[in-house]
Amino acid sequence: MVMRKQEAGNGPGVHVQAVRQAMARRLLPWFDANRRDLPWRKEPREAYAVWVSEIMLQQTRVDTVIPYFARFMERFPSPAALADAPLQDVLKCWEGLGYYARARQMQAAARRIVEDHGGRLPASAEALAALPGFGAYTVAAVGSFAFGLPLAVLDGNVIRVLSRLSACGDDVAMPSVRERFRSQADALLLRDRPAACNEAWMELGALVCLPRGPRCGECPMQDVCRARREGRPEAYPVKRRKMNIPHKTVGAAVILNRRNQIMIAQRRPEGGMLAGLWEFPGGKIQEGETMPQCIARELEEEMGLELEVGPELTVVHHAYSHFTIALHAHFARILSGRPRHLECAGHAWVTLDRMDDYPFSKADLKIIEALRARPSPVRFKDIFPGA
Ligand code: SF4
């Protein structure tokens, strides 16, 4: 057994017996006394609510998730309600949370839950793992929190705590190291309290063992923590691989008509991470192009339109998980052509006050904000006075 070997030697593994004892004697009582009263923790735990919250919490902070969770549960109170809803309504409810694939996959999974499981989430790890979007983390979280299955949850918080307890000098981005932490988390799980164990680790990471400035003096695990003993808890977890995050410069057209409506386009269902959302159409700049040339070319390719590209409205800077963008939004008007859906799923002409009916990504929402922040209403004849 990997754990026993690590426990016996001085390797980077968590010293399991000591940690396990400290967990049972001090961490679990600490958790019982300090656990946050979050809306998805209401007892008895409802599997659908657990699932929705766990998907929303991936990559997103708790305080951001709370209002989204409340709205989502009110609008889609069951897997059947989620399965039946138009995708656009689901995306609208998700708008601003990012990682929109999560919402699309949740709806796909809800449909499978209705078709194959009578509308209730299945209570076995195998059946959960067969649902769209259920990776190891989601299976363990829903399985343990909702059904009491003995599955260890491994998220960023848990990895940080385990790496500090063991003063692990290995790069936690490496799959082999993550696998080792998984084995360790499994070995630490008390089979009669899997949900409490998992949540206690996660809560310790969220409230005490913080990425910056861990509160070691208040920590129930301080006696068995090697990073604390070394006096440098922030040295862990070790992340050696630095990714070069690519940067993209992108143009977007805010196309006006003479009725002061603005044209928006819907991304295709297979249109990558923002599929199904609405946008101000445009695309990436090519070498040697000016921004107006980029926008004109993109709209020709995407919708068969010839544009006059006018003044810049705003530049939006936004960071996605794997790249950053500078999104240059320019006003534009159509010189010739009718919108065709060559590289998009549809288009709509909408006034600024009806934009809220459509789901947009965060970057496009910032363009809407910029339109609303203008001192005077957006009018075609003001932007293109000679046209
Ligand atoms: Fe984290 Fe400090 Fe607790 Fe160690 S003692 S687990 S570093 S908070």
Side-chain angles (χ1 to χ4, degrees):
M1 285 248 311
V2 177
M3 286 307 301
R4 296 289 170 207
K5 229 161 103 187
Q6 286 164 348
E7 189 185 347
N10 292 321
V14 173
H15 31 307
V16 176
Q17 282 309 337
V19 171
R20 204 173 150 89
Q21 274 178 10
M23 183 182 75
R25 288 188 192 146
R26 292 191 292 278
L27 178 63
L28 292 181
W30 171 88
F31 175 61
D32 288 338
N34 291 282
R35 74 200 292 263
R36 287 168 294 175
D37 188 18
L38 299 170
W40 46 87
R41 284 184 175 166
K42 291 201 182 359
E43 297 291 347
R45 299 291 275 270
E46 208 270 300
Y48 177 63
V50 169
W51 174 41
V52 171
S53 65
E54 286 303 328
I55 299 295
M56 285 187 170
L57 286 164
Q58 288 167 22
Q59 320 279 354
T60 313
R61 294 162 53 90
V62 166
D63 45 357
T64 305
V65 165
I66 288 173
Y68 277 95
F69 176 79
R71 276 198 299 274
F72 198 92
M73 293 301 287
E74 195 184 327
R75 174 69 183 81
F76 313 111
S78 64
L82 179 57
D84 282 349
L87 176 61
Q88 184 152 321
D89 289 5
V90 180
L91 292 172
K92 185 70 197 168
C93 226
W94 206 270
E95 185 185 76
L97 260 187
Y99 301 94
Y100 296 90
R102 296 181 295 179
R104 292 189 296 272
Q105 281 190 323
M106 279 191 78
Q107 188 175 48
R111 289 178 175 155
R112 289 275 293 281
I113 291 164
V114 170
E115 282 163 22
D116 299 346
H117 303 286
R120 300 175 73 87
L121 272 92
S124 79
E126 295 71 27
L128 287 172
L131 294 170
F134 274 70
Y137 173 85
T138 309
V139 170
V142 174
S144 66
F145 300 155
F147 301 119
L149 300 176
L151 303 167
V153 168
L154 196 70
D155 70 352
N157 280 332
V158 180
I159 287 176
R160 182 169 63 256
V161 175
L162 292 181
S163 72
R164 287 175 175 173
L165 287 172
S166 58
C168 171
D170 297 330
D171 182 356
V172 295
M174 285 168 60
S176 60
V177 177
R178 283 185 173 251
E179 210 30 65
R180 197 164 69 223
F181 282 127
R182 173 161 301 291
S183 305
Q184 292 169 356
D186 275 339
L188 289 169
L189 199 70
L190 301 179
R191 296 304 192 243
D192 56 339
R193 293 193 69 188
C197 289
N198 282 331
E199 278 194 300
W201 288 120
M202 294 162 83
E203 203 76 335
L204 188 73
L207 299 181
V208 177
C209 194
L210 304 169
R212 299 264 166 277
R215 299 179 179 144
C216 300
E218 304 166 23
C219 179
M221 302 300 289
Q222 56 183 285
D223 292 350
V224 291
C225 180
R226 289 177 174 166
R228 176 171 162 80
R229 203 175 309 149
E230 284 181 2
R232 46 184 210 121
E234 284 189 26
Y236 306 96
V238 172
K239 290 176 191 165
R240 289 211 181 86
R241 271 194 291 175
K242 285 254 184 295
M243 281 204 306
N244 275 337
I245 306 242
H247 179 74
K248 300 178 185 181
T249 303
V250 177
V254 179
I255 303 174
L256 286 169
N257 66 15
R258 289 177 193 277
R259 296 163 66 193
N260 301 318
Q261 294 167 314
I262 298 168
M263 197 188 76
I264 53 175
Q266 189 175 28
R267 289 173 184 261
R268 286 181 167 172
E270 68 278 14
M273 63 181 188
L274 302 177
L277 293 178
W278 290 77
E279 65 171 356
F280 296 93
K284 232 168 48 170
I285 200 163
Q286 292 183 356
E287 213 176 316
E289 269 182 341
T290 63
M291 189 46 73
Q293 286 168 343
C294 156
I295 292 171
R297 174 186 52 73
E298 284 287 342
L299 267 290
E300 232 258 280
E301 290 169 7
E302 203 172 306
M303 305 189 78
L305 295 173
E306 187 193 350
L307 294 187
E308 176 190 340
V309 179
E312 185 176 88
L313 163 67
T314 187
V315 182
V316 171
H317 297 277
H318 190 68
Y320 292 96
S321 55
H322 296 101
F323 60 92
T324 58
I325 61 164
L327 177 60
H328 296 248
H330 279 246
F331 288 107
R333 70 182 183 100
I334 296 177
L335 294 176
S336 69
R338 283 170 166 266
R340 290 155 59 205
H341 306 151
L342 304 174
E343 291 179 13
C344 63
H347 79 282
W349 288 99
V350 287
T351 52
L352 194 47
D353 53 351
R354 299 307 302 268
M355 289 280 176
D356 295 339
D357 296 346
Y358 298 83
F360 290 93
S361 72
K362 258 190 183 165
D364 284 285
L365 285 172
K366 287 181 190 166
I367 295 179
I368 297 172
E369 261 173 44
L371 285 164
R372 289 186 171 148
R374 285 171 65 87
S376 53
V378 177
R379 282 192 303 228
F380 181 91
K381 68 180 173 56
D382 297 336
I383 309 284
F384 296 104

